[in-house]
Amino acid sequence: MSHPPAGEKITRTDKLNVPDQPVIPFIRGDGTGPDIWAASERVFDAAVEKAYGGRKKIAWFEVFAGQTAKDKFGEWLPDDTVQAFREYHVGIKGPLTTPVGGGIRSLNVALRQLLDLFVCLRPVQYFTGVPSPLKHPEKVNMVIFRENTEDIYAGIEFAAGTPDRGKDSRFSEKRVSTAIRENSLRYKNRKQRIFGKKSARRKKTTFA
């Protein structure tokens, strides 16, 4: 694992405290990941430069997961990578391959679970000038809190050819459900309403 560059850690109290030169770990990713990252890094750096007039700059810290980690270190998800994300609080990653042959069903889900990233927060808003099939796209303004680590991600699947084929078991902790609800309540403003929805997602093995 490479040493972190010169910079300062983002700290967390009741909020994130971001220094002028925050160290942010990143994973280039597999497949198209390196190409996407090459362009993304330039965009991020240019955005920070424009927003802060050179007063702030990201200190990028490369860590490894996926095929690159397997080739370099003999493991798909090194402990140092997980620790870097824990220590620096904010990170970014590219697409990761799914290992074949057992062990980890999904590196993406493994990272979420290890770091307790229990919600995928997705702001959705219309921008003037963007083509849309909706009659009134300007009215679209919502934030989606999507369950990220449990239910279908933590369940058990039974493969074809076994007595229990076609079945699956899903698990959800009250702690996670409560945390998602409480975070969405804190996030909403006076003009927004909250809706709850159950997702009927499919599992790979059960519905293969």
Side-chain angles (χ1 to χ4, degrees):
M1 191 67 66
S2 58
H3 294 289
E8 298 177 73
K9 293 180 183 178
I10 294 173
T11 59
R12 183 175 180 179
T13 50
D14 57 334
K15 64 177 182 177
L16 287 179
N17 305 295
V18 183
D20 286 344
Q21 194 172 0
V23 176
I24 297 183
F26 73 94
I27 300 170
R28 292 181 191 273
D30 300 318
T32 59
D35 293 328
I36 295 172
W37 177 253
S40 299
E41 184 179 11
R42 293 175 62 191
V43 171
F44 295 145
D45 287 342
V48 171
E49 171 69 27
K50 185 173 180 62
Y52 296 100
R55 185 169 60 84
K56 291 179 179 284
K57 182 178 176 61
I58 297 173
W60 296 110
F61 175 25
E62 184 169 15
V63 294
F64 301 92
Q67 191 63 56
T68 304
K70 182 67 172 175
D71 295 342
K72 281 179 173 286
F73 309 111
E75 51 186 328
W76 294 102
L77 184 57
D79 291 340
D80 284 350
T81 296
V82 178
Q83 181 57 35
F85 282 116
R86 284 199 181 107
E87 187 173 340
Y88 293 97
H89 295 295
V90 174
I92 188 168
K93 71 165 194 65
L96 295 174
T97 188
T98 298
V100 178
I104 298 176
R105 285 187 294 181
S106 166
L107 290 169
N108 296 307
V109 175
L111 266 172
R112 295 179 205 163
Q113 293 173 335
L114 288 167
L115 298 171
D116 198 22
L117 303 175
F118 56 83
V119 68
C120 176
L121 192 150
R122 295 179 174 179
V124 183
Q125 183 179 352
Y126 175 72
F127 290 92
T128 303
V130 178
S132 171
L134 302 178
K135 289 184 178 179
H136 297 286
E138 70 281 357
K139 294 182 179 180
V140 175
N141 185 7
M142 68 184 79
V143 179
I144 299 172
F145 283 73
R146 176 173 169 267
E147 199 283 321
N148 215 30
T149 57
E150 297 191 336
D151 185 54
I152 203 165
Y153 297 118
I156 300 172
E157 300 178 74
F158 300 94
T162 63
D164 293 313
R165 65 188 179 281
K167 297 180 181 178
D168 70 86
S169 300
R170 306 178 184 187
F171 308 98
S172 291
E173 288 186 15
K174 184 177 180 181
R175 175 187 67 86
V176 172
S177 300
T178 301
I180 292 173
R181 185 185 72 239
E182 290 179 349
N183 275 271
S184 64
L185 287 169
R186 282 198 297 268
Y187 193 93
K188 88 176 192 72
N189 61 41
R190 294 178 183 177
K191 296 181 181 179
Q192 293 174 317
R193 291 177 292 177
I194 295 179
F195 297 90
K197 184 181 181 300
K198 183 178 182 347
S199 174
R201 292 167 291 184
R202 293 185 172 186
K203 285 192 167 185
K204 294 179 182 178
T205 302
T206 306
F207 292 92

